[in-house]
Amino acid sequence: MEASAGTLFSLLLILLFTSTPGALGSNPGLVARITDKGLEYVAKEGAMVLQRKLRGISLPDFTGDFKIRHLGRVHYEFHSLDISSCELLGSALMPLPGQGLRLTLYDSFIGAHGKWKVRKSLLKLDGSFDVGVKDITISVDLLLGSEPSGRPTVTVSSCSSHISDVEVDISGDLGWLLNLFHSQIESRFQEALESKICEKIQNSVTSDLQPYLQTLPVTTEIDNLTSIDYSLMEAPRVTDHVLDVRFKGEIFNHDHRSPVTFVAPAMSLPEEHSRMVYFAISDYVFNTASLVYQEAGYLNFSITDDMVPPDSPIRLTTKSFRVFVPRLAKLYPNMNLELQGAVVPAPFLNFSPGNLSLAPNMEIDAFVILPSSAREPVFRLGVTTNVSAVLTFNTTKITGFLKPGKVQVELKESKVGVFNVELLEALINFHILNTLYPKINDKLAKGLPLPLLKHIRLYDLVLQIHKDFLFLGSNIQYTKV
Ligand SMILES: *[C@@H]1O[C@H](CO)[C@@H](O)[C@H](O)[C@H]1NC(C)=O
Ligand SMILES: *[C@@H]1O[C@H](CO)[C@@H](O)[C@H](O)[C@H]1NC(C)=O
Ligand SMILES: *[C@@H]1O[C@H](CO)[C@@H](O)[C@H](O)[C@H]1NC(C)=O
Ligand SMILES: *[C@@H]1O[C@H](CO)[C@@H](O)[C@H](O)[C@H]1NC(C)=O
Ligand SMILES: *[C@@H]1O[C@H](CO)[C@@H](O)[C@H](O)[C@H]1NC(C)=O
């Protein structure tokens, strides 16, 4: 009961935060930009898909009459009409600023094949025919939107096709006769084809493109603690040369999501066009992750004497501290110590041009383990260090690792007098190098998935580090075999 009330409450908070325009969280955590080069690639791939779709489609049968001198009325029927070949050679996808995209297919050829029948009184003749259609231009306007769930949508707002030249080649006994009426027949074909093409495209957008766009992972699980929210914050934005998709880009604890109390920075994307897509990934994405892991205690650690390497000049026993903290040994003779560390607050990644770094602060509380197993706090240390982060990429993910810097330890509080913490520095350094960093690096190696549609692979990556965001450029490849 309590849990569901809590869930409801956080849901309300989330709704409150995400539905107020201009309020907290109105900047996207991640922007994916498709450049004109990317649109060109998409147009080419789209044309290839449509080419396959149009091949093999059937056109409606049609019938008609014509009058021949001395013979009178002749009835004809065209049937079993299939598109046997389709080459869509020219394609372009142009931004319609503020609206969507216009797909234009030109320089195209369609070949159809079918059968004919002619009837005049008792006379019945039949044969086959080929149709060659040259100079087809198809223009489709696509409207892009987003569902309340944050998934992208696409609909056709208009479609037109224009055929300027049809050639029908009729064979069979009476073929020569029908050829006399080719202009009438050709215009019937033109009509049938033109309407069928748009119908087929409309179907393909609804039943192929829309489901494909919805393969976008709106929520992706990263591990057993976190997921990333890649819902669209609004319909994709189309400007003169680019298409921008704004994603929330927030990492959250999937057991109990709580509203984030800091905002994503406003990002001003550089004008770059050498790659097909660019991802601007703000520090918000990384910092929301840091917050979740920190709050879940993932960055907490504990050091006990059994973890101290044998060659250490100091052990976590009060006896070992005798020389430099005499009061500790006197008050708690022959007892073990435990150091409990936490990174506080959650470390934020600093982005500066060309550099990624973080400066985590750790608080380490030292406890004496009393014979009763109770823990008695004796002193507190503050640890600071500078860490640089190195990012790497593979085809669908950003991965990385931390390069540790020197640690600086200072005594913050003590119930056992002031002492020199230098000896503890090596011990702490040893521990965080051997347990905390590998643990974090292990997570970083698993990587952050990018919001990519199914079967999309990245290559030719370039990375820039800007103030507040990473700018990752890449070419894309649709890899479905
Ligand atoms: C999550 O996975 C880690 C290992 O990857 C494991 O140590 C931990 O216990 C798991 N946590 C939960 C809540 O299942
Ligand atoms: C992590 O350590 C801090 C400081 O000792 C403590 O306040 C916090 O409760 C710990 N978190 C978890 C999840 O254990
Ligand atoms: C990046 O950080 C390193 C280490 O902090 C520093 O030596 C280097 O000068 C920095 N580079 C730039 C471009 O700021
Ligand atoms: C970390 O870097 C800051 C700024 O460059 C410097 O003041 C501080 O001393 C460094 N800390 C450590 C532990 O190296
Ligand atoms: C990319 O990284 C993931 C996670 O580390 C890994 O499973 C995958 O094999 C990597 N892919 C390539 C092509 O290296």
Side-chain angles (χ1 to χ4, degrees):
M1 221 40 224
E2 228 174 79
S4 66
T7 312
L8 190 65
F9 181 61
S10 38
L11 203 66
L12 280 174
L13 278 178
I14 291 163
L15 285 176
L16 207 65
F17 279 119
T18 51
S19 62
T20 318
L24 202 59
S26 61
N27 289 326
L30 189 148
V31 178
R33 167 167 289 181
I34 303 173
T35 62
D36 41 8
K37 214 174 155 197
L39 292 176
E40 207 175 288
Y41 178 77
V42 174
K44 221 174 263 164
E45 289 292 316
M48 264 170 4
V49 171
L50 284 177
Q51 193 169 282
R52 279 198 303 272
K53 293 273 162 195
L54 292 177
R55 235 176 251 162
I57 64 170
S58 305
L59 300 179
D61 297 353
F62 62 86
T63 59
D65 289 296
F66 48 83
K67 237 183 176 157
I68 300 177
R69 232 186 325 169
H70 311 304
L71 260 175
R73 247 174 213 296
V74 175
H75 184 77
Y76 66 82
E77 181 186 330
F78 283 81
H79 65 102
S80 309
L81 302 170
D82 293 322
I83 292 186
S84 50
S85 64
C86 174
E87 308 282 338
L88 306 176
L89 298 177
S91 61
L93 196 56
M94 287 178 357
L96 300 175
Q99 298 175 50
L101 298 167
R102 172 168 295 163
L103 175 67
T104 310
L105 300 164
Y106 54 93
D107 205 4
S108 305
F109 169 86
I110 285 180
H113 183 78
K115 294 187 173 141
W116 60 263
K117 272 191 239 168
V118 161
R119 214 169 50 223
K120 169 71 194 168
S121 315
L122 290 176
L123 179 70
K124 267 193 199 163
L125 287 166
D126 54 33
S128 62
F129 66 90
D130 289 298
V131 189
V133 185
K134 273 182 263 174
D135 265 343
I136 307 172
T137 308
I138 305 170
S139 173
V140 191
D141 287 358
L142 300 169
L143 209 62
L144 301 170
S146 77
E147 282 177 353
S149 69
R151 285 176 202 278
T153 58
V154 60
T155 46
V156 174
S157 60
S158 75
C159 175
S160 62
S161 64
H162 178 74
I163 294 172
S164 56
D165 187 24
V166 181
E167 272 174 30
V168 182
D169 182 20
I170 298 169
S171 55
D173 288 339
L174 219 56
W176 62 270
L177 185 63
L178 285 167
N179 276 329
L180 291 179
F181 298 91
H182 70 264
S183 68
Q184 183 186 343
I185 292 166
E186 281 164 3
S187 71
R188 296 290 299 270
F189 267 114
Q190 185 165 336
E191 262 169 51
L193 259 175
E194 282 181 351
S195 72
K196 197 73 189 176
I197 286 172
C198 277
E199 187 189 315
K200 192 68 195 173
I201 288 174
Q202 180 96 40
N203 284 348
S204 187
V205 168
T206 313
S207 58
D208 302 315
L209 185 57
Q210 165 92 357
Y212 178 60
L213 288 188
Q214 301 220 333
T215 64
L216 193 81
V218 171
T219 313
T220 303
E221 191 171 300
I222 296 178
D223 57 22
N224 61 11
L225 177 67
T226 56
S227 291
I228 184 158
D229 178 348
Y230 274 140
S231 51
L232 266 65
M233 298 184 75
E234 57 181 30
R237 284 188 188 180
V238 181
T239 59
D240 280 344
H241 299 289
V242 298
L243 173 71
D244 281 348
V245 188
R246 294 152 59 89
F247 297 97
K248 188 147 190 67
E250 182 180 307
I251 290 180
F252 61 97
N253 181 328
H254 51 220
D255 290 331
H256 48 93
R257 184 170 184 169
S258 34
V260 177
T261 53
F262 51 89
V263 292
M267 296 184 278
S268 150
L269 275 56
E271 293 288 324
E272 295 270 354
H273 294 277
S274 70
R275 295 294 191 276
M276 297 178 188
V277 295
Y278 287 90
F279 295 94
I281 308 149
S282 78
D283 54 11
Y284 184 78
V285 179
F286 301 96
N287 294 342
T288 51
S290 176
L291 196 66
V292 172
Y293 285 108
Q294 194 260 359
E295 280 176 352
Y298 191 81
L299 305 177
N300 284 9
F301 58 92
S302 144
I303 316 176
T304 48
D305 188 53
D306 56 331
M307 297 158 88
V308 176
D311 60 352
S312 169
I314 186 169
R315 308 212 59 84
L316 287 180
T317 60
T318 52
K319 193 169 154 207
S320 175
F321 279 67
R322 198 180 49 212
V323 180
F324 64 106
V325 202
R327 260 178 73 194
L328 182 65
K330 208 176 294 165
L331 285 170
Y332 307 98
N334 285 322
M335 290 178 203
N336 278 1
L337 288 162
E338 179 177 342
L339 303 181
Q340 284 181 5
V343 179
V344 227
F348 282 3
L349 204 49
N350 302 315
F351 289 59
S352 60
N355 248 347
L356 285 179
S357 62
L358 57 167
N361 281 304
M362 284 169 239
E363 271 177 8
I364 297 181
D365 286 307
F367 296 87
V368 169
I369 305 173
L370 301 177
S372 66
S373 299
R375 280 156 172 74
E376 181 74 23
V378 281
F379 57 85
R380 170 175 288 180
L381 306 171
V383 180
T384 53
T385 182
N386 290 323
V387 180
S388 54
V390 179
L391 293 179
T392 49
F393 298 93
N394 75 17
T395 52
T396 57
K397 285 183 166 184
I398 298 181
T399 51
F401 62 93
L402 297 182
K403 273 206 319 213
K406 229 176 93 62
V407 296
Q408 225 164 47
V409 179
E410 71 177 305
L411 186 66
K412 288 269 174 137
E413 274 174 40
S414 173
K415 293 181 178 165
V416 288
V418 176
F419 60 96
N420 185 342
V421 293
E422 216 170 280
L423 272 175
L424 285 173
E425 202 162 277
L427 180 65
I428 290 164
N429 202 27
F430 176 86
H431 181 81
I432 62 177
L433 284 184
N434 288 287
T435 59
L436 194 59
Y437 280 107
K439 196 171 152 189
I440 298 171
N441 282 338
D442 200 40
K443 281 275 175 248
L444 294 175
K446 293 223 168 60
L448 174 75
L450 289 166
L452 294 176
L453 295 168
K454 213 168 162 180
H455 308 303
I456 294 290
R457 199 179 71 84
L458 304 177
Y459 69 98
D460 278 352
L461 296 139
V462 283
L463 175 75
Q464 297 169 2
I465 301 170
H466 291 261
K467 186 181 174 315
D468 304 332
F469 66 98
L470 298 178
F471 196 56
L472 173 67
S474 174
N475 286 331
I476 54 172
Q477 193 180 19
Y478 180 72
T479 56
K480 189 165 178 189
V481 281

